[in-house]
Amino acid sequence: MFIARKKAIRYVMAIFIIFSLNFAIPRAMPGDPVMNLLGEDVIVSESSVAEMRTKMGLDEPLYIQYLKYWSDIFHLDLGYSYHLHSEVSKVLFTKMKWTLLLVVPTIILGAVIGTPLGALAGWRRKDSNEKIMTMSFLFVYCTPPYFLSILFIYLFSFKIGWFPLKGFYTTGTPGDIVYHLFLPVTVMTLFAASRNYMIMRGSVIQEMQMLYATYARAKGLFGREILFRHIFKNASLPIITLVALDFGFIFSGALFVEIVFSMNGMGNLIYDAILARDYPVLQGSFLLITVMVVLANLLADILYGLLDPRVRWQG
Amino acid sequence: MKGAVCSRMGEIQRGASSLSKLGAALFMLFIIMAVFSGQIAPYDPWARFEPYSPPSREHILGTNDMGNDILSELICGSRVSIVVGFGAAIMAALIGVVIGLLAGYFRGPVDEIFMGATDVFLMIPTIPLIIILAAFMRPSFWILALIMGFLWWTTMARVVRSRALQIREMNFVESARSLGFSDFHIIFSDIFPNVYNVVLPKFMLTIASAMIAEASLSFLGLGDPSMKSWGMMINFAFSRGGFLNGYWWWYLPPGLCITFVTIQAP
């Protein structure tokens, strides 16, 4: 129970600190907070600036603004985008669905593909096939995902013409969406898999030196059996936490991949918001991503507790 | 969970020992390139020639839409990447080592507080936060490096802490304590020199992450407009048609540079 409570406190703290940071940024930055909160390109006259200032409560003391900020968040009110002429929360939720369509399969496939391959690579470290694979994954690991997307889109869509050049769909049928998603999901999966691969490989190399692995060998088990029955279970436990911690990273990567593939999700929303200086959208996106990252970590903790008896009995 | 992240770096480090020498050599090459970029670059990266020209004898990697020599841009761009990489890593190492040492040495409540803070920081989605800060401040690449360092000390603190926990139990620390040396003295002259081997790989990994992050930010157009960086080159090649027209000499070299300079880290 103690560990669970300590974790819960940390999650609440994380949310609290990040949200407070989000409150502070537009007010601490140089320039008029009205501009910082509305976006710079919104053309407003002198009198409407004053009017907006009163309307947004920016002339009130900071602590009242802060309380109002939290009350707005609990009402899911993330402000109004004057560029998109819509409420930020509404825009975000529609775009986020598409981005999750890219991120969730990526994370699952990345874990499913990267983990066993990494385990095998760690097990047969000296094998030349594994060495080539490690090198290719290392190459992917070190390449920014958007650059990999550019290469893929150039090769497979532009030169060979197997896949569409842009977007999430043209007709909107499920098959069409899958067809559009295939290439970006492949790039992102390679990227996620390379991270899991590297970690799993190292994890297996470490576990191999443990006594139980030697005992399994002495007992007469074959190589693959030792790996998948004994070592894999222990070595893959850290992966769960790492996948969760990686969630934010993968999500950020997806934003860039989306931009390259001109997909109309959060990545392009953020990109347009940067170009238009649409600060409410930027801040709202940041909050939403934070909440998702924290939720992913929470999920990982629960999963970890279910899989690892030591944690289960303690917490 | 803690152990997992602590050992993560060591695991990745062991991942590619065969490549590490090649990676280190490449990395040194890039550092030399960055330091002497003014002497090595054949042209001024801002000088204008015939635009869109393919690789030739005068312009080994051709020119871009503005007629800038791409090889010169590439060589000068290395400076931005190296400065951001090292700046972020030095900042992260300073914070991470101090917090890790204090948490590992004092244990108890100090440890609880610092590691709690580390857990909280670890959950911040750093790239989106950096995007927001960059959008508001339009920082120079120096500031950018410091912001990254300030967000990325967490894993450094964790590895240093777990190492410090081990070392503080060793005999020589014990004897230093019984001789009456102060905590401060023990931490910085006995324990600190021994965490070097866990800090170095982490340091290199932070350099790599910062370089990739800088390239990504520049790709979004949030980089320092007064400097040419690799990410910015890819961004321009992508947004100004270099990619659709198949001008590989424009977008491929900066991308490969990013990959090869970061490949030393894991």
Side-chain angles (χ1 to χ4, degrees), chain A residues 246-260:
Chain A
D246 256 7
F247 181 86
F249 202 77
I250 301 288
F251 201 95
S252 315
L255 302 180
F256 290 96
V257 171
E258 261 181 25
I259 294 168
V260 173

Side-chain angles (χ1 to χ4, degrees), chain B residues 44-57:
Chain B
D44 175 8
W46 302 91
R48 300 179 70 164
F49 304 93
E50 181 76 19
Y52 298 116
S53 56
S56 63
R57 196 172 290 255

Side-chain angles (χ1 to χ4, degrees), chain B residues 162-177:
Chain B
S162 60
R163 192 93 183 99
L165 277 177
Q166 287 172 353
I167 294 170
R168 80 183 297 285
E169 302 302 333
M170 289 184 179
N171 286 336
F172 72 97
V173 176
E174 197 73 14
S175 44
R177 213 175 289 139

Side-chain angles (χ1 to χ4, degrees), chain A residues 10-11 25 29 135 138 142-143 146-147 151 153-154 158 195 201 206 238 241-242 256 259 277 282 286 293, chain B residues 1 4 8 11 15 19 116 119 123 128 132 136-138 215-216 220 243-244 246 251-252 255 259 262-263 266:
Chain A
R10 282 179 188 175
Y11 286 132
I25 288 172
M29 290 296 154
M135 240 155 77
L138 190 67
C142 292
T143 309
Y146 67 87
F147 183 65
L151 293 183
I153 202 174
Y154 182 72
F158 199 68
R195 297 174 72 83
R201 182 174 178 277
Q206 211 168 40
T241 329
L242 289 173
F256 290 96
I259 294 168
R277 303 260 168 155
L282 277 182
F286 175 58
V293 169
Chain B
M1 173 170 168
R8 178 180 184 180
E11 287 152 14
L19 273 176
D119 277 356
M123 244 180 281
I132 289 203
F136 272 114
M137 305 200 304
R138 295 289 154 141
S216 306
L220 289 179
F243 149 73
L244 283 179
Y251 64 83
L252 215 50
T259 305
T262 48
I263 216 158

Side-chain angles (χ1 to χ4, degrees), chain A residues 70-190:
Chain A
W70 275 104
S71 118
D72 282 349
I73 282 171
F74 284 120
H75 291 100
L76 289 181
D77 176 5
L78 296 174
Y80 189 86
S81 164
Y82 285 86
H83 278 281
L84 304 171
H85 296 290
S86 171
E87 275 173 35
V88 172
S89 49
K90 229 182 253 169
V91 180
L92 282 181
F93 285 121
T94 41
K95 304 278 181 179
M96 188 188 69
K97 275 183 279 181
W98 289 106
T99 303
L100 283 180
L101 210 57
L102 177 61
V103 171
V104 172
T106 295
I107 288 180
I108 296 171
L109 285 174
V112 168
I113 295 172
T115 317
L117 286 182
L120 274 177
W123 186 248
R124 297 185 307 199
R125 212 171 357 154
K126 304 278 190 299
D127 193 297
S128 59
N129 282 339
E130 310 294 340
K131 272 186 184 160
I132 291 170
M133 192 149 77
T134 303
M135 240 155 77
S136 348
F137 270 115
L138 190 67
F139 193 79
V140 174
Y141 184 89
C142 292
T143 309
Y146 67 87
F147 183 65
L148 208 62
S149 316
I150 291 182
L151 293 183
F152 267 59
I153 202 174
Y154 182 72
L155 213 65
F156 293 107
S157 299
F158 199 68
K159 280 280 171 208
I160 310 181
W162 284 349
F163 295 101
L165 273 170
K166 55 175 252 168
F168 272 118
Y169 55 84
T170 36
T171 57
T173 59
D176 184 51
I177 294 176
V178 170
Y179 177 56
H180 278 79
L181 274 176
F182 186 83
L183 209 52
V185 167
T186 308
V187 174
M188 289 298 297
T189 301
L190 274 178

